[in-house]
Amino acid sequence: METPNSTRWPDLPVDILRSLFERLSYIDFHRAKMVCSNWYLCSKQTLGPKGRSPLLLLSPEEGGCRLYNPEEDRVYVPRRDFSGCRFLGNSGKWFLVADSQSNLYIVDVFSDEKIDLPRLELVSKDGCVHNLEPLGDGDFEEMLVGRNYGIRKSAEELRGRVWVDDKTGDYVVVCRFDRCDYMRFCKKGVDRYSEIQTRVDLSGKDGFEDVTKQPMFTWYKPFPSAEEKERMRAFKPISESYNIAVTRSGEVLLVHNYTYESTTTFEKHRTFGVYKRQLKHLEDPETSYKPWLVEVDSLGDEALFLDLGITLPADATLGIEPNSIYFTRDDRFRLMPLSFLDICVYNLVTKSIKRFPTLSSKLKLKDAQWFIPS
């Protein structure tokens, strides 16, 4: 039987195409539908993969990006060339990207769809007290309005978050430079950013809600036990960080991440502690300004994705493990001098940690992010 010519693949019968699409993994399904217009139309008529398994977006040192599916232990190469780009954050399949000149855009990593965003220096004058002047290499000079001198802000210091509504196409983007006292945000339909000062009281202003009963929002961890102090003397601390996460029920968690090295075997170890506020301190006006935390021993049937700052329901069929913290690095939202990439899943109950040796053996990575495709 003669092998069909590749130019006739777009003309395959619809029933055969549907049968093929129904057998594909999530990533392969979205790659296949971009082959041609006929395949794209057929994909719209096909019940695609239901799975929303956790995936990793990888940034190799050589440039560009890769997609990794832990369930398949397989690395994919996206259609688009992302050389010279940094991935700041994501919302489902959509990623906030900064190119080598710090131009910002939102991109669907499974297709060629792209949303261009305003340049960071384009800002509404209402409430703006900072000017950003591009320096031509992706860096900026930051100056107070009315001043003719400023400080250099490196492109590597730029941090960002994005939220995209897949149904309506609406989006919101928030950006800031590390260790600065303001943020800039824009949304769909707006051609410039608005500036928000982060060191002023925003409670009572339109669009902001005060979620604390006192202006001071300081948290205090429980003191370590004598046994814990004695045990830690056998280790050399390497790095330490704190992150905020929100559960599905709206509860706010403080996540302590600690990396240390054994003074005898010189092996590196990582551990996590999760804490929440005590309700009695929130209800007592005399102690609500200084709330002590209690340690959370279990996340229940939820998994915490630190790159996203949220918890999601565990699902064995999707590979989302309960009581687990999905981690990549501790300087995602602010620069840390001793941070390093460590792709892992930490079980909060068993205190065990799972890594992915395939990645370290095949690729030299400078960054990675967990994401849940929409």
Side-chain angles (χ1 to χ4, degrees):
M1 181 176 179
E2 185 179 350
T3 304
N5 188 283
S6 61
T7 58
R8 298 178 58 186
W9 280 104
D11 300 325
L12 284 175
V14 173
D15 56 341
I16 295 180
L17 277 178
R18 285 178 180 170
S19 179
L20 290 174
F21 277 126
E22 289 171 356
R23 289 167 169 77
L24 296 178
S25 66
Y26 185 92
I27 295 180
D28 282 333
F29 177 87
H30 284 277
R31 287 158 60 94
K33 74 179 185 181
M34 303 304 298
V35 168
C36 63
S37 59
N38 285 344
W39 285 36
Y40 181 80
L41 291 175
C42 184
S43 71
K44 293 296 185 181
Q45 305 169 26
T46 305
L47 185 62
K50 297 180 180 180
R52 296 180 63 204
S53 300
L55 303 177
L56 278 161
L57 185 135
L58 311 172
S59 299
E61 291 182 356
E62 64 189 31
C65 80
R66 303 288 188 271
L67 300 175
Y68 176 68
N69 187 334
E71 290 295 292
E72 301 174 348
D73 192 23
R74 182 179 172 189
V75 176
Y76 296 82
V77 180
R79 290 167 53 91
R80 182 184 291 274
D81 181 14
F82 288 102
S83 299
C85 293
R86 291 179 58 232
F87 294 85
L88 306 182
N90 77 88
S91 174
K93 64 182 179 180
W94 297 95
F95 274 79
L96 176 61
V97 179
D99 66 15
S100 58
Q101 296 299 311
S102 290
N103 296 304
L104 297 176
Y105 55 93
I106 305 170
V107 64
D108 177 353
V109 293
F110 298 111
S111 72
D112 291 329
E113 192 169 356
K114 172 184 170 185
I115 303 170
D116 291 310
L117 297 172
R119 289 279 304 176
L120 269 175
E121 63 268 23
L122 298 177
V123 60
S124 171
K125 298 302 180 183
D126 184 23
C128 175
V129 297
H130 297 88
N131 284 329
L132 288 174
E133 294 294 334
L135 298 177
D137 56 359
D139 292 355
F140 292 87
E141 185 176 32
E142 177 196 88
M143 297 175 289
L144 289 171
V145 173
R147 303 282 181 88
N148 57 4
Y149 61 90
I151 57 175
R152 190 183 190 99
K153 289 293 184 181
S154 167
E156 295 297 318
E157 299 177 57
L158 184 62
R159 300 291 188 266
R161 299 302 294 265
V162 59
W163 293 269
V164 180
D165 188 319
D166 278 315
K167 294 182 179 179
T168 65
D170 293 336
Y171 61 82
V172 176
V173 171
V174 179
C175 294
R176 66 180 291 270
F177 285 97
D178 190 62
R179 304 182 191 280
C180 69
D181 56 2
Y182 67 94
M183 299 183 294
R184 290 190 171 179
F185 77 94
C186 72
K187 60 182 180 180
K188 183 179 179 180
V190 178
D191 62 356
R192 58 189 58 237
Y193 293 86
S194 296
E195 186 170 296
I196 305 174
Q197 305 304 308
T198 57
R199 298 201 179 189
V200 297
D201 183 9
L202 298 173
S203 59
K205 295 187 178 181
D206 185 32
F208 296 91
E209 180 182 357
D210 186 4
V211 295
T212 64
K213 295 187 177 182
Q214 297 288 338
M216 181 181 293
F217 197 63
T218 305
W219 292 5
Y220 294 84
K221 277 177 51 184
F223 292 115
S225 64
E227 293 80 3
E228 179 71 9
K229 289 181 179 179
E230 182 64 28
R231 187 178 69 86
M232 293 308 296
R233 288 193 181 98
F235 301 109
K236 173 186 175 183
I238 297 177
S239 66
E240 184 179 28
S241 67
Y242 292 89
N243 291 275
I244 299 296
V246 181
T247 67
R248 298 173 65 221
S249 63
E251 190 171 45
V252 180
L253 303 176
L254 178 70
V255 183
H256 178 216
N257 164 39
Y258 186 72
T259 311
Y260 55 91
E261 182 181 82
S262 170
T263 56
T264 55
T265 64
F266 303 105
E267 293 180 348
K268 289 186 175 65
H269 302 271
R270 186 181 296 277
T271 185
F272 294 85
V274 179
Y275 303 88
K276 66 179 181 180
R277 303 175 83 177
Q278 299 186 71
L279 292 177
K280 63 179 182 179
H281 287 164
L282 295 177
E283 297 168 355
D284 185 353
E286 295 184 2
T287 60
S288 61
Y289 75 96
K290 189 177 179 180
W292 286 92
L293 302 178
V294 293
E295 187 165 7
V296 177
D297 297 322
S298 170
L299 294 171
D301 291 327
E302 295 187 18
L304 171 58
F305 288 79
L306 271 186
D307 288 337
L308 303 175
I310 58 173
T311 63
L312 294 173
D315 190 328
T317 62
L318 300 180
I320 303 178
E321 302 176 17
N323 284 311
S324 294
I325 300 175
Y326 287 72
F327 178 82
T328 55
R329 65 187 315 136
D330 49 18
D331 63 346
R332 179 69 59 203
F333 304 110
R334 63 174 302 177
L335 290 175
M336 305 288 290
L338 297 177
S339 174
F340 59 93
L341 187 65
D342 186 12
I343 304 169
C344 62
V345 180
Y346 180 86
N347 189 290
L348 193 61
V349 175
T350 64
K351 311 300 181 186
S352 59
I353 196 163
K354 179 176 74 173
R355 293 187 170 88
F356 304 88
T358 299
L359 297 181
S360 57
S361 63
K362 289 185 177 180
L363 296 168
K364 291 184 177 180
L365 301 175
K366 63 180 180 181
D367 196 12
Q369 294 183 49
W370 287 102
F371 72 103
I372 307 294
S374 53

